[in-house]
Every structure is written in C-alpha cells, then in structure tokens.
Amino acid sequence: ILKAVAAAALVTTIGLAAGPSFAQEKKFTIALIPGLTTDGFYITMRKGAQAAADALGVELVFQGAPDFNPVTQVPVLDAIIARAPDAILIAPTDTTQLIEPLRKANEAGIPVITVDTFIGTGSYQTGAGDADFPLAYIASDNVLGGRIAARALANAIGGEGKVFVSNVNPGISTTDQREEGFKLEMTENFPKVEVLETQFNKNDANNAASQLQAVFARNADLKGVFGANLFSALGSANGVQQAGQSGTIKVVAFDAPVSIVDNINSGLVDVAIAQHPAEIGYYGVVSAFAHLTGQSIPVSIGTGFTIMDKANIADPEISKYLYNE
Ligand code: T6T
C-alpha cells in the first residue's frame, strides 16, 4: 500500500511540475466576430486569435457576415449572444449602430472587447458617454496610419498636385481615422497637395475602380490616390490600370493582401501599409482570457505596421506580414 501511495504522490508531483501553471478547470469559449469573413485582414486576425486560443486551451468561435455592414453583422452578434460565450471580441462595423446591440451582450454579463474598430469614441472604461462599456480596444493606430499614407503619397508625387481618398463608408472608426490622419498630414506638412472630395465605395473594389476613372475624367491632372482599406486600394489600383495610368497616377494602399506584391513589383502601387492583424487577434484572445481569469487588462493596445515597397517586398522579414487568404 505504501508503495502505491508513494507512486501516486510521485505521479501527482510530476503532473504538477509538467502541467501548464495556467491550466483552467473550465474551458472558456471566446467568440470573434470580424467585420466580414471574406477579407484577408480578418482571416489573418483569426489565425492570430486561434494561436492564442490553442496556447491557452480556449475554444475560439469565429462567426461573421459576408459583407462589412451593420445590418448583416447585428444578427450574427445576436446569435452569438444567444450562445452565451465567456467573452466576445468584435470588429464593430459602425461606431454608433453597434452600441445598442453590444450593450445587450454587456447586460447579459458577457465581457466585450473590440478589435480593429471601435464604438463611440473608442475611449472605454471612462465612466463617460454611452459606449464606454467595452473592456478594451486592440487595433492599429489608424490616425498614424493615415499620416504615413499621406507622407508616402506626397513623396511619390513630388509634394504637389491633386489626390483623393478612396474610402469605404462614413461611420467606420478605422477608415474614418485613416482619412482624418491623411488630411491632417497633408494640411500640416504638404500644403501644395490638393485633396479632392473623398469617394465612398461601400467596400466594393469595382466601385473603387470606376470612381477612380470618374475622378480622373474630371481631373486630367490627378496625381495620386490613397486606398484606405484593402478593397479600396485594390479597386483604385485596378482603376488606375484600366485608365492606362499605371505608374503615372500614384497609388498608396492600406492593407496587404498577397496580390499587392505583383502590383508593387509592376509599379502600379508605390507603397502598401500592412497592419498586423494576427497581433490584434492574438492579443484579443489573451486579453479576454486574462480578464476571465481575474487579471486586469490594458484598456487599449496598439499594434504595429509594416511599410512595403519595391525595395523591401522580397525580404521575408517584410513579406511575412502579407495577409493570409
Ligand atoms: O482595413 C481593414 C480593417 O482595418 C478595416 O476596419 C476594414 O477593412 C479592412 O478589413 C480591410 O478590408
């Protein structure tokens, strides 16, 4: 009997020593609701989130709408709330229209963290306003991203001439902030650049392509375009090519799908600003897990950018930031 007890104690000791110190009794379920499912940016975010979920022994549920639209996102959110996950990570598709739907989650006791985009002003846990209930916001610094885009485009066009922003829809925190940063940088540092009226493409690359051609038809001296997200950028680049202006009308792209590589190498796109969506997903899951296990978490986490151009795109340390498909 003594032998058996000793053996059992040994097993227990080894088990304790070898087991992960963060092992949980309960397996948490964390839901990630992207802006849309068919976008390399969110596909890459999911990969990062899954890596963290695997490391922490969490179940990750990834569910979203096929387009970037509050009308299709809210029913997905409602369905997720009905499943009562332990936490919700969401990229809200509108700063105001997602406030009430997300409040329902909060009132049901499900902690909410927003990733990529925010609701309200994005200042959470302040005790002010009607949209401060999310615990954290994890994202790129999109105003800075817009400023980086402006510098790149201003440099590409020699510091003067007409440009415009191809954007998605007003009311999306990320793309609104990119446009804001772009215009601030041009006004403050590139006074000879004229920023024409923004064209909104509803996240449809075909719209962005035809809008580019329409702006060019009205402005034969158009020098450049900033595509403020993946579809805006790819569509604008296609529009420049269809107008026979490749290399003449300069394109700065936000986001980095794999297809941007050919566009950079051919000279159609000058610069692509890659976000780090896998970081956003990873830290989203880690933050939710930390909260669920009684840790305090930062109310805001900023993730990085990688600037891609012809000179560096072949470097694996750069191209590893291209998005997954
Ligand atoms: O640019 C990303 C994301 O940051 C934005 O909120 C919406 O568009 C993308 O998903 C790219 O399509």
Side-chain angles (χ1 to χ4, degrees):
I1 291 170
L2 262 185
K3 252 191 186 169
V5 169
L10 190 66
V11 167
T12 310
T13 311
I14 290 171
L16 273 178
S21 56
F22 49 74
Q24 291 299 308
E25 291 287 311
K26 174 174 159 53
K27 188 173 169 101
F28 292 114
T29 299
I30 297 176
L32 171 58
I33 304 175
L36 74 166
T37 49
T38 55
D39 176 336
F41 174 83
Y42 296 111
I43 292 168
T44 311
M45 183 188 291
R46 177 188 190 173
K47 251 192 121 184
Q50 190 63 57
D54 292 347
L56 296 169
V58 162
E59 188 192 343
L60 182 74
V61 173
F62 180 82
Q63 203 174 321
D67 58 354
F68 194 98
N69 188 336
V71 174
T72 48
Q73 189 180 40
V74 170
V76 173
L77 171 60
D78 286 342
I80 289 286
I81 294 172
R83 285 176 67 173
D86 295 293
I88 291 178
L89 308 175
I90 184 169
T93 45
D94 190 278
T95 47
T96 53
Q97 292 184 55
L98 266 293
I99 295 175
E100 290 314 314
L102 278 171
R103 190 190 311 287
K104 279 197 240 160
N106 189 54
E107 282 170 1
I110 306 170
V112 173
I113 291 175
T114 76
V115 287
D116 177 45
T117 44
F118 59 71
I119 53 170
T121 61
S123 294
Y124 299 154
Q125 301 295 309
T126 59
D130 61 349
D132 83 318
F133 57 85
L135 296 177
Y137 173 52
I138 303 167
S140 310
D141 179 338
N142 287 289
V143 176
L144 175 65
R147 283 187 179 271
I148 294 171
R151 273 175 233 150
L153 191 56
N155 289 333
I157 65 171
E160 59 186 303
K162 291 181 182 167
V163 302
F164 76 97
V165 181
S166 176
N167 213 338
V168 181
N169 273 324
I172 303 167
S173 69
T174 46
T175 47
D176 282 355
Q177 287 192 323
R178 289 169 204 163
E179 182 175 333
E180 182 194 331
F182 182 86
K183 288 180 171 167
L184 281 172
E185 184 69 20
M186 289 304 193
T187 307
E188 290 169 11
N189 295 319
F190 301 97
K192 289 185 182 160
V193 174
E194 184 185 346
V195 182
L196 303 174
E197 197 186 338
T198 295
Q199 303 295 306
F200 290 104
N201 56 51
K202 300 186 161 64
N203 218 25
D204 181 332
N206 291 328
N207 288 344
S210 39
Q211 287 168 344
L212 183 291
Q213 294 182 71
V215 174
F216 179 51
R218 293 194 295 269
N219 300 274
D221 52 351
L222 181 69
K223 290 275 173 57
V225 58
F226 167 39
N229 85 332
L230 192 151
F231 301 101
S232 308
L234 288 182
S236 299
N238 286 342
V240 167
Q241 192 162 41
Q242 286 155 11
Q245 297 297 310
S246 180
T248 308
I249 298 177
K250 303 293 184 181
V251 181
V252 168
F254 218 87
D255 293 310
V258 170
S259 60
I260 210 82
V261 176
D262 285 346
N263 288 344
I264 289 176
N265 284 329
S266 73
L268 178 58
V269 169
D270 274 81
V271 170
I273 300 162
Q275 303 186 74
H276 293 180
E279 276 170 30
I280 299 175
Y282 193 95
Y283 284 97
V285 169
V286 169
S287 300
F289 182 82
H291 172 75
L292 292 169
T293 53
Q295 307 298 313
S296 66
I297 60 171
V299 74
S300 149
I301 297 179
T303 54
F305 291 119
T306 294
I307 316 297
M308 302 175 167
D309 62 15
K310 214 180 212 173
N312 71 14
I313 192 66
D315 178 349
E317 283 304 310
I318 298 293
S319 59
K320 73 180 183 191
Y321 289 105
L322 289 165
Y323 299 171
N324 297 103
E325 287 176 338

